[in-house]
Amino acid sequence: MSQDLVDTHAHMCAPQLRRDLDGVLHRARGQGIGAIIAVAEDMQEARANLDIAERYPLIRPAAGLYPGNADSELAAQMRELIRQERERLVAIGEVGLDFRLAESEQAKALQREVLAGFVRLALELDLPLNVHSRSAGRHVADLLLEYGAKRVQMHAFDGKAGSAQKAVEAGFFFSVPPSAAHSRQKQKLIRQLPLSCLLLETDSPVLGPSPEETNEPANLTVSLRAIAKIKDISLEEARDAVRENTWRLYGDLARTETDRDPLRTDTDPEE
């Protein structure tokens, strides 16, 4: 099977995945996944992503500060880490706004301030932004456009397609999780957004095909099938489209180094 799919947003540090990481990655490879972008919510996860990626080349590390963790000092520390590790990182993320977690205008303002700092950094370093926008889709799009963001993935967007229109026109991408199998909102979003802006993600270990199960990157094919069904195109057409879209934002992440096992390096110590 061709190994050309990219899970553009997964939490590989989650305990549910870490306890059987070899198995998780073998199952992902079995479903044609050639790369997994591991996003971080805080400094500990960012450093862990870098460590895991050294041992498992299938994993490509990102670093960011979840909006629920918004803090000016923590954001400054994260920006410094990202600058230091620029050559090893494939994205800044996850970052964004989450107004479900911001009860006051002051909390919302702090989230905006932190996100603006990451947008400026992404432009400085020419890195994609992997963006969270729960209950704040229109606000995120407006801020990104205001600060001139260029390379953007809107992850698991929960807003209306109309709120996404300006982001689509700006060339931003929207990633589809396996929850599209049962989420009417996600299905409607796929239907209304152009195929040319869609990516695949799992958001593992959440947003799986059913709410009860632990999600993992192997379920990326559920997202692919949802796009093909809703767009009324073949799986091959859907696969070709999302591969091209992923390349446009991230480059050829699915190409692994020929002299390294994409699942685990030979020098990896026993865990």
Side-chain angles (χ1 to χ4, degrees), residues 4 10 40 81 87 110 119 141 160 182 184 220 232 242 253 257:
D4 60 0
L81 174 69
E87 298 307 313
L110 177 58
V119 175
K160 297 179 180 179
H182 59 80
R184 291 185 179 181
L220 199 69
D232 193 23
V242 296
L253 286 181
E257 298 177 40

Side-chain angles (χ1 to χ4, degrees), residues 102-116:
E103 297 182 356
S104 67
E105 287 304 315
Q106 183 179 8
K108 292 177 181 179
L110 177 58
Q111 286 190 9
R112 290 191 180 98
E113 172 195 319
V114 169
L115 177 56

Side-chain angles (χ1 to χ4, degrees), residues 120-139:
R120 288 190 289 266
L121 183 64
L123 291 168
E124 173 191 332
L125 301 180
D126 189 26
L127 277 170
L129 287 160
N130 201 304
V131 179
H132 175 102
S133 58
R134 186 170 58 174
S135 300
R138 177 173 56 83
H139 301 279

Side-chain angles (χ1 to χ4, degrees), residues 22-69:
D22 284 332
V24 167
L25 297 181
H26 275 286
R27 289 188 289 275
R29 289 288 287 180
Q31 293 300 315
I33 295 169
I36 300 166
I37 297 178
V39 297
E41 296 189 353
D42 56 30
M43 188 69 72
Q44 181 179 359
E45 288 189 357
R47 295 190 184 280
N49 283 344
L50 289 162
D51 178 61
I52 294 172
E54 279 294 308
R55 296 182 286 126
Y56 295 89
L58 189 66
I59 295 175
R60 311 304 167 87
L65 193 65
Y66 185 69
N69 297 326

